[in-house]
Amino acid sequence: MKNNVLIVGASGGIASALIEQYSSEGARVFAVSRAPLSDTNHSGDVTYHQLAEQDDRHISEFVEQLAEQQVVLTTVVITTGFLHRESDGIHPEKRLEDVSEQALAAYFSTNSIIPAMWLKHLVNIMSKEGSTLVCLSARVGSISDNGLGGWYGYRASKAALNMLVKTASVEYKRRLKDVMLVCYHPGTVDTGLSKPFQKNVAAKKLFTPEFTAKQLIHHLSALNRDQSCHFIDWNGEVVTW
């Protein structure tokens, strides 16, 4: 069976590296982005789709289109997420007084709700013969591994994402049998998301998107598929929930 791969959030650096990696390995790749894509020069079989609105209705319509084309997905990586947004003046909070309704709503909308809508609809077109669904998460979304505080909205929205994936894995396993869901902490990657926060990161801990993509694909092949859900980092180490 041909590896049909869906990459959501295709305009991002990690997503672009994943598209290149999977397509170079012979997979058929469907790349979805809200913004127009400037880099569409990937090798191999790649189809680009612009979904200007990633809400319940538009995601449902897109998945139905794939179903009508009899597309059965073997691998999905959902890379949508944001940490700061200059246009809205949203930055990670340093103290309680920085918490705002606007920022919290934005964090949860992008980091939690959009992936949840994809989880909702993708269950209908995932392969029953060994499929994998990954959401890019973050170590700061671990509730048990939070000793520093701060970053309220980002932490909480990623913790919510982890819970959504963990909960969905129970139903996915019941409906698809041989399926595995993964929350993946990519580390600090040299992309726009981490740009304002790179000055305190050691050079050897600032990863290229290409390195992160290769690490993810490598670790996915080694994970125990009998376990329905995993939370791992770029090095394949378990991150506590």
Side-chain angles (χ1 to χ4, degrees):
M1 180 178 179
K2 187 175 180 66
N3 190 13
N4 289 325
V5 178
L6 172 66
I7 306 294
V8 178
S11 60
I14 295 175
S16 181
L18 284 166
I19 293 167
E20 180 63 33
Q21 184 71 20
Y22 276 117
S23 62
S24 68
E25 293 177 356
R28 181 186 184 190
V29 179
F30 301 87
V32 175
S33 174
R34 285 196 291 185
L37 288 167
S38 56
D39 180 14
T40 57
N41 296 317
H42 295 287
S43 59
D45 186 358
V46 184
T47 306
Y48 296 92
H49 303 269
Q50 184 183 354
L51 239 60
E53 297 294 331
Q54 287 196 28
D55 54 22
D56 195 2
R57 180 172 69 85
H58 289 90
I59 291 170
S60 174
E61 290 173 353
F62 173 75
V63 172
E64 286 175 3
Q65 290 173 10
L66 292 183
E68 289 170 0
Q69 298 168 25
Q70 297 185 320
V71 173
V72 178
L73 297 172
T74 50
T75 305
V76 174
V77 186
I78 300 172
T79 72
T80 55
F82 94 98
L83 175 56
H84 59 93
R85 187 179 293 157
E86 295 299 326
S87 59
D88 296 327
I90 297 176
H91 306 93
E93 308 91 343
K94 295 182 179 179
R95 57 180 188 161
L96 276 168
E97 285 79 3
D98 297 334
V99 174
S100 75
E101 292 182 46
Q102 176 200 23
L104 286 175
Y107 278 125
F108 275 86
S109 176
T110 300
N111 295 341
S112 313
I113 296 173
I114 288 176
M117 293 303 98
W118 283 104
L119 285 167
K120 172 182 175 180
H121 296 290
L122 286 171
V123 70
N124 298 311
I125 60 168
M126 297 290 290
S127 172
K128 295 183 179 181
E129 300 174 7
S131 56
T132 301
L133 189 153
V134 182
C135 286
L136 290 195
S137 186
R139 190 183 302 277
V140 296
S142 166
I143 292 175
S144 60
D145 187 24
N146 179 2
L148 295 177
W151 291 31
Y152 288 87
Y154 189 71
R155 283 184 185 277
S157 61
K158 288 296 188 178
L161 170 64
N162 293 343
M163 179 59 84
L164 287 162
V165 174
K166 186 73 166 63
T167 304
S169 72
V170 177
E171 187 167 351
Y172 265 67
K173 199 73 170 180
R174 188 164 62 239
R175 294 169 65 170
L176 298 177
K177 306 302 182 188
D178 188 12
V179 64
M180 180 176 68
L181 275 64
V182 180
C183 295
Y184 179 64
H185 168 60
T188 303
V189 184
D190 190 10
T191 64
L193 183 143
S194 69
K195 193 69 71 178
F197 312 97
Q198 292 179 5
K199 63 178 182 294
N200 296 322
V201 179
K204 64 181 181 180
K205 289 291 187 178
L206 181 62
F207 306 132
T208 65
E210 292 73 23
F211 171 80
T212 299
K214 289 179 180 179
Q215 288 294 101
L216 171 58
I217 293 171
H218 168 72
H219 294 313
L220 290 181
S221 66
L223 288 175
N224 178 10
R225 298 194 62 85
D226 291 333
Q227 183 177 327
S228 63
C229 193
H230 297 264
F231 187 9
I232 62 168
D233 67 8
W234 58 272
N235 204 30
E237 299 296 327
V238 172
V239 181
T240 58
W241 298 97

